[in-house]
Amino acid sequence: MTGSEHQREKANVVAWYSRGPHFRKVLAYLRQKYPSLPSCAVVPSSYPQALIAPQVDEIRTIRGALDALYHAWHLRRQGVRCVAVMFDSFRLRTIAALCGAEEQGCVTLDGRWVVFSESLARYALRRARKRILGTLQWLRILVHVYAFPVRNDAIENKPPHAMRSGREESPHQ
Amino acid sequence: MRVAIVDLLFSWPPHGGADVDVFHLAHALQTLGIPVELAVTHEYGSWERGASRSDDLPFRAKRIDFSPRSFTIPNICRALRAAVEDFAPTVVILADGFFLKPYVLHALRDFPVINRYFAYEAVCSKDILWYRDGRPCPHAYPRTPDICRRCAAQALGTLMRRGLENTWLREYLLTRAYTPEYYFFSQEALKCARATIVYNPLLQRELLPLCPETICVPSGITLEMFPYSPPPYRTASDIKIILMTGRAEDPMKGASVLIEAAERLRRKREDFEVWITLPEETPTPAYVKCLGWIPYDDIPSLYAKADICVVPSVWEEPFGIVALEAMATGRPVCASRAGGLAGIVIDGETGFLFERGNSAALADALEVLLEDPALRKRMGAAGHERAASEYTWRHIVEQYYIPLFHKIGS
């Protein structure tokens, strides 16, 4: 076996199932993107495999989180060209990273390919920052909502601030 | 007459009934010889906003691109106003949008604008559903702003605390929709519309005080896309197909009601299968088949295989386009008596209406239809007749839109 043949045999593309309506869209996308590479679908054991059998070369079933980790490790050893998951989340990015594919990403509900370009650590940091900022923002909104009610007498009698002197004075301009 | 349609959330292929409605309205206007242009906002990275290519559409369309940084209220208003001025329309239809709609309405106030609502965003700050604690919400943002502001802040807090953002939340934060100022601004801005169009009387009642010219206009159907197909031939012992299409994974669509009804029915008979567009691995009994995602173009052939269609929504479905699609293909429809569905399906004539969430009533209706192939055929034919005579896009445009254009354009 030559080096390139060996490489081709090892290279494949993986679609990792999550609960969502567009798994077959993911498979169709991978088939279109890598028509000559063997494809593998990783699905839960309860998934009706007959539905996707014509679209993939191999179907792996997983039972629980430990089994998922085992399969990710196994795929990593085998060598994977591309891993596609169904959503962009920390858990699915971790799975994609564990598979060790050259190309990792998710196929969105509308069929777009979103590449996971940043490292998992950087992504985790970004998410943590967003969580902190999001929580602070939410607290600020709660203060607004509870401390500044829309007064009933204002609804009845007062003209809105924004409309008194035209759109240039709308609340955000 | 020239019509500009402005949509802040349009995508094609469609993400929902609003996109389908806008597409067919623009197409029907063009077919009738009325110049039309669709102006849509597109934000990079947003799957809901403007994910379409203007050259894919069979009518004139202008996509206005924004980066997440340039997607600001002044930029949006300026760009949309410029797009509308370029086209010089006699009427503007402001289609889908969430919290940004009042700003765009205000920016276009020099034009005769028709404000179109496809769901309940005008009366609910939490989401477009107007549904709370398992039932339709008794409050409405124009009447009870503080209750609605608190409800929205609590509900959206889950997303914010997790550092996540969707299009609704993005507009909520961008417009500061939680402030009293936004309330006053939005209520006044809605009055800038010369007319407001809604799908059902429920929303009409809420908006009439803000816009006296608030009218109900149904959505339509393209019969070429959903042609009539004769019901499949089945003997009494053959398996009949009960079909539910649409976003069945959304709990509001009531798939659980249908599954419960099927379980009841299974105790009496075994001559049916239920097909639902739920994710494939959803745990269901063997006689319930989960179809997963079906491309929009394949939906008509799915109806052709079915014997009965079910729309068991538990929320006040604004219109219920899937019921109309099923009727157009000649299938009897069992639908919950909720929102626009009650106006589409004629109880006992084109199908059956049952109380929302009542699986026993649905099981009874399904049993009557399973028992009687002649009734299925008769109701299917009546449904097709109704769709063809009252809901074609040509009819909808001629009956509702053109008289309205003349009224407000003059």
Side-chain angles (χ1 to χ4, degrees), chain B residues 62 77-87 108:
Chain B
K62 183 181 268 184
C77 291
R78 204 175 303 129
L80 287 174
R81 190 179 167 89
V84 170
E85 276 172 351
D86 278 352
F87 186 63
L108 299 176

Side-chain angles (χ1 to χ4, degrees), chain B residues 69-309:
Chain B
R69 192 174 286 270
S70 68
F71 195 76
T72 61
I73 296 169
N75 285 350
I76 296 161
C77 291
R78 204 175 303 129
L80 287 174
R81 190 179 167 89
V84 170
E85 276 172 351
D86 278 352
F87 186 63
T90 44
V91 175
V92 179
I93 298 175
L94 178 55
D96 217 4
F98 299 141
F99 296 101
L100 281 165
K101 257 187 143 180
Y103 287 91
V104 179
L105 259 177
H106 195 248
L108 299 176
R109 66 190 183 281
D110 299 335
F111 295 92
V113 179
I114 298 171
N115 186 13
R116 182 30 146 160
Y117 284 108
F118 299 98
Y120 300 113
E121 62 272 28
V123 289
C124 182
S125 303
K126 177 170 68 72
D127 50 36
I128 60 167
L129 302 174
W130 203 19
Y131 194 84
R132 191 183 176 190
D133 304 330
R135 62 194 170 89
C137 181
H139 308 294
Y141 183 60
R143 283 189 283 114
T144 55
D146 287 327
I147 294 173
C148 296
R149 286 168 67 216
R150 282 179 220 139
C151 172
Q154 293 294 351
L156 297 174
T158 314
L159 272 181
M160 277 187 267
R161 290 198 309 273
R162 290 171 62 197
L164 300 174
E165 201 174 69
N166 58 20
T167 310
W168 180 271
L169 178 58
R170 180 145 168 64
E171 288 199 13
Y172 178 78
L173 297 174
L174 187 68
T175 57
R176 302 179 72 221
Y178 46 86
T179 57
E181 288 86 353
Y182 179 83
Y183 172 79
F184 292 126
F185 178 73
S186 63
Q187 300 305 290
E188 280 303 309
L190 294 186
K191 294 174 187 167
C192 296
R194 303 267 178 93
T196 300
I197 301 180
V198 296
Y199 273 141
N200 64 50
L202 202 70
L203 186 54
Q204 185 188 28
R205 275 199 298 275
E206 296 291 344
L207 294 183
L208 271 174
L210 292 173
C211 184
E213 192 68 42
T214 300
I215 56 171
C216 288
V217 175
S219 187
I221 189 91
T222 305
L223 290 177
E224 294 75 35
M225 200 178 271
F226 293 93
Y228 177 80
S229 60
Y233 174 76
R234 316 266 196 216
T235 62
S237 58
D238 281 350
I239 298 291
K240 287 100 185 165
I241 308 295
I242 298 168
L243 175 68
M244 176 186 170
T245 58
R247 291 181 298 104
E249 71 278 9
D250 185 341
M252 301 290 129
K253 298 290 179 182
S256 59
V257 179
L258 174 55
I259 294 172
E260 212 175 294
E263 279 168 9
R264 285 171 181 274
L265 209 50
R266 201 66 178 183
R267 291 178 210 139
K268 298 180 188 171
R269 56 196 304 150
E270 295 190 343
D271 63 339
F272 69 93
E273 251 182 30
V274 178
W275 292 5
I276 311 180
T277 49
L278 277 171
E280 295 91 334
E281 94 301 1
T282 309
T284 51
Y287 51 89
V288 177
K289 189 170 159 188
C290 297
L291 304 172
W293 169 76
I294 306 283
Y296 189 59
D297 293 342
D298 295 346
I299 298 285
S301 59
L302 198 59
Y303 286 126
K305 290 176 195 160
D307 295 270
I308 303 164
C309 290

Side-chain angles (χ1 to χ4, degrees), chain A residues 79-139:
Chain A
V80 176
R81 172 75 176 274
C82 173
V83 170
V85 292
M86 290 171 66
F87 300 98
D88 184 359
S89 71
F90 182 71
R91 198 178 299 173
L92 291 175
R93 279 190 183 236
T94 308
I95 291 279
L98 284 175
C99 291
E102 289 169 30
E103 196 180 359
Q104 301 163 16
C106 81
V107 177
T108 57
L109 279 165
D110 60 333
R112 278 183 305 115
W113 173 243
V114 177
V115 184
F116 297 160
S117 50
E118 64 192 339
S119 70
L120 198 61
R122 184 178 282 268
Y123 175 76
L125 276 176
R126 187 161 61 85
R127 281 296 300 275
R129 182 173 168 272
K130 274 191 153 188
R131 273 177 181 250
I132 294 165
L133 292 178
T135 305
L136 292 175
Q137 190 167 37
W138 179 62
L139 292 172

